[in-house]
Amino acid sequence: MNTEPERKFGVVVVGVGRAGSVRMRDLRNPHPSSAFLNLIGFVSRRELGSIDGVQQISLEDALSSQEVEVAYICSESSSHENYIRQFLHAGKHVLVEYPMTLSLAAAQELWELAEQKGKVLHEEHVELLMEEFAFLKKEVVGKDLLKGSLLFTAGPLEKERFGFPAFSGISRLTWLVSLFGELSLVSATLEERKEDQYMKMTVCLETEKKSPLTWIEEKGPGLKRNRYLSFHFKSGSLENVPNVGINKNIFLKDQNIFVQKLLGQFSEKELAAEKKRILHCLGLAEEIQKHCCSRK
């Protein structure tokens, strides 16, 4: 991306919560990838008028404007599918925060639509751009996994807005799949105490070589945002990740990847492998949800 941009893609940011605000900041700062992008405005359900000189525009205007060529979807997860569909139909490229949808069928349909329209559909996975993940990737390479577990704790999260925990927590599943390959579901349970805003999802998975992996999402008041992991290999074990430094500009790194896609700098093979991983994870998340709901 050292080349001078011949043209800039007009961008609109949909949803200006935590992720949307970071996206707008990155778009307005002089980064190599931001040079290819021109922030035209933002869409929000709230009446905000403008943020730091960036104008709010209506969804209708964002969809119909010739100037807008790219949409960043940063709204709550339950609205992603609808926004992606509308922007693809309007002939725009789409970057969406994970999870892109809350069902596998919807994701497959939207991917087909993007391919039909010749547009980039990019699902953000900043967890794969973290220092901890880079450390883990190096650690597990060439090792035979015997068993492993990954526990994530955090404060309460509304299922209605962010989806079932297997979807809202899909970044943890993406870690496991990216480290150990495609996984299959053995069992899944969900323990919930709505009056206490507490939930715990326990998922048993296995690798293609039948090594067991346990994934737990636990959310409730007073639980700190934390990740605990333990991987046992034939050659030793790994308990939690040492402090490997601060994750700098991970959303910007994700934007760099998106711009490379806009410029056609990714091979078909790389794009196909990424799509396969994303659909595999969404398929597993859906299977986990069905498993938990059928047991109630």
Side-chain angles (χ1 to χ4, degrees), residues 14 36-37 42 50 64-65 92 95 122 165 177 197 205 214 232 245 252 258 265 273:
V14 180
F36 290 87
L37 304 163
F42 68 89
S50 72
S64 62
S65 165
K92 320 291 187 194
L95 173 153
H122 170 82
V177 168
Q197 292 182 291
L205 300 153
T214 307
H232 296 274
L252 181 59
F258 176 63
Q265 294 173 352

Side-chain angles (χ1 to χ4, degrees), residues 29-285:
N29 285 342
H31 303 297
S33 60
S34 302
F36 290 87
L37 304 163
N38 173 30
L39 178 57
I40 287 167
F42 68 89
V43 173
S44 175
R45 286 192 314 238
R46 294 170 291 165
E47 284 296 325
L48 298 167
S50 72
I51 299 174
D52 298 333
V54 181
Q55 288 307 306
Q56 180 166 359
I57 58 176
S58 70
L59 177 61
E60 292 67 31
D61 286 352
L63 290 165
S64 62
S65 165
Q66 292 295 300
E67 251 189 309
V68 174
E69 296 167 90
V70 169
Y72 281 18
I73 313 294
C74 311
S75 52
E76 52 206 31
S77 309
S78 54
S79 65
H80 288 180
E81 178 186 335
N82 197 13
Y83 280 132
I84 297 170
R85 188 176 288 110
Q86 289 184 67
F87 278 100
L88 286 176
H89 271 303
K92 320 291 187 194
H93 300 284
V94 173
L95 173 153
V96 60
E97 310 298 349
Y98 75 75
M100 63 190 272
T101 59
L102 298 177
S103 82
L104 176 62
Q108 287 169 320
E109 178 217 326
L110 293 173
W111 227 300
E112 277 166 32
L113 180 59
E115 284 165 9
Q116 233 173 315
K117 295 274 185 187
K119 298 297 163 192
V120 172
L121 173 55
H122 170 82
E123 185 186 44
E124 161 269 312
H125 278 286
V126 291
E127 75 280 6
L128 299 180
L129 306 172
M130 291 177 167
E131 298 298 330
E132 297 97 316
F133 181 73
F135 169 84
L136 284 175
K137 196 91 181 127
K138 281 208 281 282
E139 280 294 307
V140 309
V141 82
K143 289 184 182 166
D144 276 331
L145 180 74
L146 298 173
K147 63 175 183 173
S149 65
L150 174 55
L151 159 68
F152 180 77
T153 61
L157 198 61
E158 285 175 58
K159 246 192 330 199
E160 288 66 38
R161 293 169 60 203
F162 298 99
F164 190 80
F167 284 98
S168 58
I170 206 160
S171 63
R172 266 74 69 189
L173 189 54
T174 304
W175 259 27
L176 293 175
V177 168
S178 302
L179 291 170
F180 302 113
E182 295 201 343
L183 304 171
S184 49
L185 179 62
V186 177
S187 66
T189 54
L190 180 69
E191 180 195 335
E192 252 183 321
R193 292 196 301 276
K194 284 194 172 134
E195 65 285 4
D196 300 333
Q197 292 182 291
Y198 174 83
M199 80 90 211
K200 182 180 185 181
M201 177 184 76
T202 305
V203 181
C204 299
L205 300 153
E206 60 180 22
T207 65
E208 286 175 337
K209 290 184 175 170
K210 304 279 184 237
S211 303
L213 279 169
T214 307
W215 167 34
I216 298 171
E217 293 276 306
E218 189 174 17
K219 297 196 168 109
L223 283 176
K224 291 227 172 2
R225 200 181 163 81
N226 233 323
R227 204 187 284 111
Y228 307 91
L229 53 87
S230 153
F231 298 134
H232 296 274
F233 305 98
K234 280 185 182 164
S235 56
S237 56
L238 177 65
E239 302 279 343
N240 294 319
V241 179
N243 195 338
V244 285
I246 296 160
N247 294 306
K248 279 204 191 93
N249 297 333
I250 48 179
F251 282 93
L252 181 59
K253 287 175 183 167
D254 179 71
Q255 177 177 283
N256 296 346
I257 293 168
F258 176 63
V259 167
Q260 286 175 306
K261 289 179 183 178
L262 288 179
L263 300 173
Q265 294 173 352
F266 267 75
S267 71
E268 288 297 317
K269 196 177 163 192
E270 288 171 304
L271 293 171
E274 184 187 51
K275 174 181 166 183
K276 187 169 184 264
R277 186 204 75 226
I278 288 171
L279 292 176
H280 175 67
C281 290
L282 288 168
L284 272 176

